[in-house]
Amino acid sequence: MRLAVLASGTGSIYQAIIDANIDVAAVLVDRACGVIDVVNASGVPCLVVERTDFGPDFDRNRFSRDVVTALTAADIDVVAMAGFGTVLSAPFFEAFEGRVLNTHPALLPSFSGWHGVRDALRHGVKITGCTVHIATLEVDAGPILAQAAIEILADDDEASLHERIKSTERHLYPATIKKFLADLETHT
Ligand code: GRF
């Protein structure tokens, strides 16, 4: 099974995936971002499908098809999203149906969307966490594979809380990816 990671952020989750000795065949990014340096340092091919349009006319299907074309050319079977900044649409989820994983920095179904950490803080919950799930067309709504709870401390701000959540994601996500890949190997 050839795994690709999709990322747009700092690359710390990607780093955790390779530190866990998971074979990553390629990383795909949609913009200039910190992850590119991390990927280059790891010696894994970095594919760039640049998103140039962030306006209301953004052609999401076309962009999703371009992502599929790049991943198919790299012979990818399974995709792990790790802070990817573009919501992909049907052409992507049809091409990789049931084979896309995501990690979300909140306990889904609570606090889905881009600001899961901020929204949990604002809501005043005392416990939040992270969720690894199968990604589907509906954002942050696919079947849940693993979760971990994290206590919100009185002096937490978004940055401190997100960093604590990420330190858990860096264990939970690689472990869940490994199990998912192993299960896929046994059932195919
Ligand atoms: C993680 O918290 C992930 O759940 C979210 O984006 C963050 C990625 O972190 N979707 P990094 O850019 O790899 O440090």
Side-chain angles (χ1 to χ4, degrees):
M1 288 292 157
R2 284 173 62 81
L3 175 76
V5 173
L6 269 54
S8 313
T10 70
S12 77
I13 303 287
Y14 164 71
Q15 183 70 51
I17 292 170
I18 54 168
D19 286 348
N21 291 320
I22 294 173
D23 250 333
V24 177
V27 177
L28 185 144
V29 300
D30 63 351
R31 67 195 72 192
C33 55
V35 74
I36 294 173
D37 290 338
V38 180
V39 176
N40 288 339
S42 70
V44 168
C46 190
L47 314 173
V48 182
V49 178
E50 198 183 353
R51 176 174 174 181
T52 48
D53 183 356
F54 290 84
D57 295 330
F58 173 55
D59 190 341
R60 203 171 294 280
N61 284 340
R62 187 184 170 166
F63 182 84
S64 299
R65 278 195 296 272
D66 290 346
V67 168
V68 171
T69 301
L71 294 176
T72 307
D75 215 9
I76 296 303
D77 306 295
V78 179
V79 176
M81 308 224 254
F84 192 60
T86 300
V87 172
L88 296 171
S89 61
F92 173 74
F93 288 102
E94 281 159 13
F96 292 99
E97 198 184 345
R99 291 177 174 218
V100 183
L101 302 182
N102 185 41
T103 176
H104 181 76
L107 289 175
L108 293 174
S110 292
F111 309 118
S112 59
W114 290 117
H115 303 296
V117 180
R118 187 186 308 170
D119 293 346
L121 262 180
R122 284 198 181 146
H123 200 91
V125 294
K126 304 300 177 204
I127 304 280
T128 185
C130 53
T131 303
V132 178
H133 64 103
I134 297 178
T136 55
L137 190 54
E138 194 185 338
V139 175
D140 296 334
I144 291 171
L145 300 175
Q147 289 186 306
I150 288 141
E151 193 181 349
I152 297 184
L153 306 177
D155 60 352
D156 260 331
D157 58 19
E158 188 177 350
S160 66
L161 178 57
H162 197 178
E163 191 43 47
R164 233 170 36 260
I165 292 172
K166 287 208 280 189
S167 60
T168 297
E169 288 184 286
R170 290 180 196 119
H171 297 288
L172 189 68
Y173 200 28
T176 311
I177 292 171
K178 274 188 184 171
K179 184 170 184 322
F180 184 83
L181 291 174
D183 287 351
L184 212 55
E185 300 275 4
T186 28
H187 294 110
T188 47

